[in-house]
């Protein structure tokens, strides 16, 4: 039976919504966006042909409301729904609601989603189909360590914890269950043996309703933080032809065992030449662009065509060259991957790269959603060329207003072990790539640029009657105070060219209030201008611990009067879809506890006070 999709509702937001809209434009299909209140001005809303508001802010109020999404599709006259990834993309009940409303579901049958929705049940089914699997361990009866705690529903690294001994198991199970319940509405978790120094390799599958299944190349996704991928590539540098043949056969068997139709991914852990099944993602993956670039296909177009009843050609498109993708997040790798929210003043990535982005200049990154800003993907004839192209594009990018993981990504792409293909899921733990940068030349360039802007025929800022003393400027680089002396006569405008050990190096300076962004071939630095005469601030009580970001308190681990060591967990915040532990910065006694479970807090709110009572004699 042939279906014609004329108007498509995209039940998602941000980058993936824009990605689907792009294919709709090329295919002559009208696109309907949905948006929460924080997303009212988002690019995906403006780019769609129609848009429907979902009142509220949190995912639970908006993008996770199947009833509102189906109602929006009906009101907008859509005849099909594309779920994107995340949110309800792997929710069989949502797929059934879409079909019950007489709409076309752009995805696999609800039965296939359900079959793979529980990782516990999926592993049993795959084992029966002859796909290699790791043993499932009862969380209450784990005897050997290390183990990996995993959420049975959902994916994306949420609800996963590594446990290396019995002492940490109970806390890991409780934390994983909380995160799984919050992310997927299902707290079920299980354990399996942890494969140290293994690789995360997955196979893209595409299947039509007429019995044809494509195994469309493999992707390596081993470089991860908090069990979430940040660098993906195709093909894998570790997969030879024999392993590839066996991977493709296992992925095809997995798809055929559940009658799969549409785009999906079969994920494996690979160690040496042996691999074990992890899960089937019954949706489009975040990292799908690397497959598209290597194989010359539009996976979203094929999702739509398969939903309309089209047949796949018998011959699978072969690979060409190498593609690498990085996920650019608004987060601080040096501070436990702390997410950032706020205004992105400037966002520009140059070069011959593909940019799949949910943001643009002036976008506001909300605390309610994942902090991923964009995916940047490079394709080249060789892996080395792709890595070089991608690292250069990231270095030359203008990303102003929010801290990001950009520097870390560049360090990965230029790392010798990465370039040699020696990657595994513990790569970031093994390689310290959060190295520091010398802020002095950046601060000097900022001082010169600011002096040039203030020179308007009056005395330049910092003029002194004592000619022998140079004016000085002070900036904050993170929490570090940086002071530079400069000659205002050398001020040259927005671009300051400095002589660094005989090498002329340009620094481009942009300002947004007190925020100063400095970009150069050496990298980029964010500075905060310290005023010469700062306004007095109310001082925090000694030992006060403040919220590093807006979020919700999901666990309080101490009580007033408790004696804690430095680094002890005080409480846990949930922010931007992840849990973040708030730790005591010094040893002492909890004298004040100002929050309780379930409370919303803003960045800078005082959460607790840990007083140094070591000198008390009473």
């Amino acid at each position: 039976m042939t279906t014609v999709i004329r108007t498509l509702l995209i039940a998602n937001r941000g980058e993936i919504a824009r990605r689907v809209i792009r294919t709709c434009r090329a295919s002559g299909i009208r696109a309907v966006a949905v948006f929460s209140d924080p997303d009212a001005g988002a690019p995906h809303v403006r780019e769609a042909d129609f848009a429907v508001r979902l009142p509220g802010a949190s995912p639970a109020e908006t993008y996770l409301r199947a009833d509102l999404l189906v109602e929006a599709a009906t009101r907008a006259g859509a005849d099909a729904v594309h779920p994107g990834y995340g949110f309800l993309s792997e929710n069989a009940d949502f797929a059934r609601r879409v079909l019950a409303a007489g709409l076309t579901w752009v995805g696999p049958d609800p039965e296939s989603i359900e079959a793979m929705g529980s990782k516990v049940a999926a592993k049993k089914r795959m084992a029966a189909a002859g796909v290699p699997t790791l043993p499932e361990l009862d969380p209450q009866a784990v005897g050997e360590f290390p183990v990996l705690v995993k959420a049975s529903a959902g994916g994306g690294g949420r609800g996963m914890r590594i446990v290396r001994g019995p002492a940490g198991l109970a806390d890991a199970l409780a934390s994983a269950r909380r995160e799984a319940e919050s992310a997927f509405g299902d707290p079920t978790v299980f354990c399996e043996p942890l494969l140290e120094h293994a690789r995360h390799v997955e196979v893209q599958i595409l299947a039509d309703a007429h019995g044809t299944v494509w195994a469309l190349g493999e992707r390596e996704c081993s470089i991860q933080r908090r069990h979430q991928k940040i660098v993906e590539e195709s093909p894998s540098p570790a997969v030879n032809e024999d392993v590839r043949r066996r991977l493709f056969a296992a992925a095809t068997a997995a798809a055929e065992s559940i009658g799969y139709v549409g785009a999906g991914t079969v994920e494996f852990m690979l160690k040496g030449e042996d691999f074990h099944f992890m899960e089937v993602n019954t949706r489009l993956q975040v990292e799908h662009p690397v497959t598209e670039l290597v194989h010359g296909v539009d996976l979203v177009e094929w999702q739509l065509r398969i939903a309309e009843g089209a047949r796949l050609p018998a011959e699978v498109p072969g690979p060409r060259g190498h593609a690498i993708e990085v996920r650019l997040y608004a987060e601080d790798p040096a501070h436990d991957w702390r997410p950032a929210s706020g205004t992105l003043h400037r966002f520009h990535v140059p070069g011959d790269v593909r940019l799949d982005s949910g943001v643009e200049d002036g976008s506001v990154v909300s605390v309610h959603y994942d902090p991923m800003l964009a995916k940047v993907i490079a394709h080249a004839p060789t892996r080395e060329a792709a890595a070089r192209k991608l690292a250069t594009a990231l270095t030359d990018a203008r990303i102003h207003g929010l801290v990001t993981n950009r520097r870390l990504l560049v360090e990965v792409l230029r790392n010798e072990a990465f370039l040699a293909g020696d990657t595994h899921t513990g790569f970031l733990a093994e390689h310290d790539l959060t190295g520091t940068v010398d802020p002095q030349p950046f601060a000097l360039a900022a001082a010169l640029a600011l002096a040039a802007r203030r020179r308007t025929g009056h005395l330049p800022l910092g003029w002194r009657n004592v000619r022998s003393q140079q004016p000085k400027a002070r900036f904050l680089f993170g929490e570090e105070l940086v002071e530079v002396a400069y000659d205002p006569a050398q001020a040259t405008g927005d671009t300051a060219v400095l002589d660094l050990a005989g090498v002329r190096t340009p620094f481009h300076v942009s300002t947004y209030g007190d925020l100063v962004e400095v970009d150069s071939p050496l990298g980029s630095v964010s500075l905060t201008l310290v005023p010469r005469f700062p306004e007095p601030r109310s001082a925090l009580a000694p030992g006060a611990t403040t919220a590093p970001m807006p979020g919700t308190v999901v666990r309080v681990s101490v009580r007033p009067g408790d004696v804690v060591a430095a680094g002890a967990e005080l409480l846990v915040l949930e922010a931007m879809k992840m849990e973040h532990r708030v730790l005591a910065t010094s040893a002492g006694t909890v004298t004040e506890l100002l929050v309780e479970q379930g409370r919303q807090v803003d960045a800078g709110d005082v959460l607790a006070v840990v007083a140094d009572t070591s000198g008390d004699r009473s």
Side-chain angles (χ1 to χ4, degrees), residues 480-510:
E480 176 187 351
L481 181 64
V482 182
E483 185 174 76
V484 290
Y486 63 96
D487 182 352
Q490 295 178 336
T492 57
D494 289 348
T495 299
V497 179
L498 304 183
D499 188 312
L500 303 179
V503 179
R504 290 171 60 85
T505 307
F507 293 78
H508 183 80
V509 181
S510 304

Side-chain angles (χ1 to χ4, degrees), residues 8 112 184 222 237 265 288 344 351 363 404 410-411 421 460 472 491 495 534 567:
L8 179 73
S112 295
F184 316 119
S222 297
T265 302
H288 74 274
L344 189 64
S363 287
T404 73
V410 172
E411 291 295 321
K472 295 180 180 180
T495 299

Side-chain angles (χ1 to χ4, degrees), residues 86-438:
F87 293 137
L88 295 176
S89 61
E90 295 180 279
N91 187 296
D93 289 338
F94 178 47
R96 289 192 179 98
R97 283 188 182 225
V98 169
L99 294 170
L103 305 170
T104 297
W105 170 252
V106 183
D109 294 337
E111 292 73 24
S112 295
I113 297 174
E114 209 155 52
M116 295 295 102
S118 164
K119 292 183 177 63
V120 174
K123 288 180 68 172
K124 291 182 172 65
R125 188 157 189 159
M126 291 301 105
V131 179
T133 60
L134 286 170
E136 176 198 341
L137 306 175
D138 181 351
Q140 309 306 322
V142 174
E144 294 187 14
F145 294 87
V147 298
L148 186 63
V149 179
K150 300 177 70 174
S152 183
R158 296 178 182 88
M160 293 180 67
R161 302 289 187 275
I162 292 175
V163 184
R164 299 195 176 277
L169 183 59
D171 282 348
L173 289 170
S175 176
R177 284 173 179 141
R178 271 198 317 273
E179 196 167 271
E181 172 72 29
S182 173
F184 316 119
D186 182 351
T188 306
V189 299
F190 68 100
C191 298
E192 64 184 20
L194 176 68
L195 295 180
E196 303 272 22
H197 291 84
R199 296 173 182 261
H200 183 137
V201 176
E202 61 192 32
V203 177
Q204 175 70 57
I205 56 173
L206 199 61
D208 63 25
H210 310 283
T212 300
V213 179
W214 282 0
L216 198 61
E218 85 281 350
R219 298 186 288 254
E220 166 121 8
C221 312
S222 297
I223 297 182
Q224 305 175 2
R225 61 96 170 101
R226 289 190 162 192
H227 310 295
Q228 286 189 310
K229 308 160 189 172
I230 60 170
V231 180
E232 301 109 341
E233 59 182 306
S234 183
S236 166
V239 174
N240 59 35
E241 285 305 316
D242 176 63
V243 173
R244 182 171 290 118
R245 176 186 56 77
R246 291 188 287 118
L247 276 171
F248 288 6
T252 302
E256 291 176 343
S257 72
I258 57 173
Y260 198 84
V261 174
T265 302
V266 187
E267 302 196 345
F268 301 93
M269 293 304 293
L270 172 71
K271 192 162 186 180
E273 296 194 354
D274 295 326
F275 57 83
H276 298 86
F277 170 82
M278 288 174 57
E279 62 189 15
V280 175
N281 292 123
T282 54
R283 55 171 168 81
L284 197 66
Q285 290 279 83
V286 176
E287 58 272 21
H288 74 274
V290 295
T291 297
E292 293 186 320
L293 291 174
V294 167
H295 291 270
V297 298
D298 182 331
L299 288 171
V300 175
E301 179 187 3
W302 269 114
Q303 284 186 295
L304 297 172
R305 292 181 63 185
I306 288 170
E308 290 180 323
R311 292 176 178 269
L312 287 167
E315 186 174 345
V316 181
R320 180 181 61 86
H322 201 99
I324 305 175
E325 169 183 296
V326 294
R327 302 190 194 186
L328 187 64
Y329 280 97
E331 65 183 15
D332 187 352
H335 291 86
D336 196 27
W337 314 99
R338 180 190 303 167
S341 59
T343 301
L344 189 64
H345 298 293
R346 181 81 173 101
F347 186 74
H348 172 67
V349 181
D352 179 24
V353 293
R354 171 172 163 176
L355 180 67
D356 283 16
S357 168
V359 297
E360 58 187 11
D361 290 359
S363 287
V364 176
V365 178
S366 167
V367 299
H368 297 288
Y369 312 114
D370 185 279
M372 189 174 78
L373 302 176
K375 304 175 313 197
V376 189
I377 314 100
H379 180 242
T382 66
R383 184 172 183 270
E384 294 75 14
R388 184 169 58 245
K389 182 191 290 189
L390 188 51
T392 301
L394 288 170
T395 300
D396 293 344
R398 300 285 186 263
I399 307 169
H400 297 166
L402 295 174
V403 63
T404 73
N405 64 340
R406 183 244 302 259
R407 184 184 301 278
L408 174 81
L409 297 173
V410 172
E411 291 295 321
V412 169
L413 294 167
R414 291 176 174 167
N415 180 267
E416 290 185 5
F418 173 81
L419 293 173
D422 184 15
T423 61
H424 51 83
T425 55
F427 185 89
L428 291 183
E430 189 173 282
H431 299 270
D432 181 11
L433 300 177
T434 58
T436 58
V437 61
D438 179 8

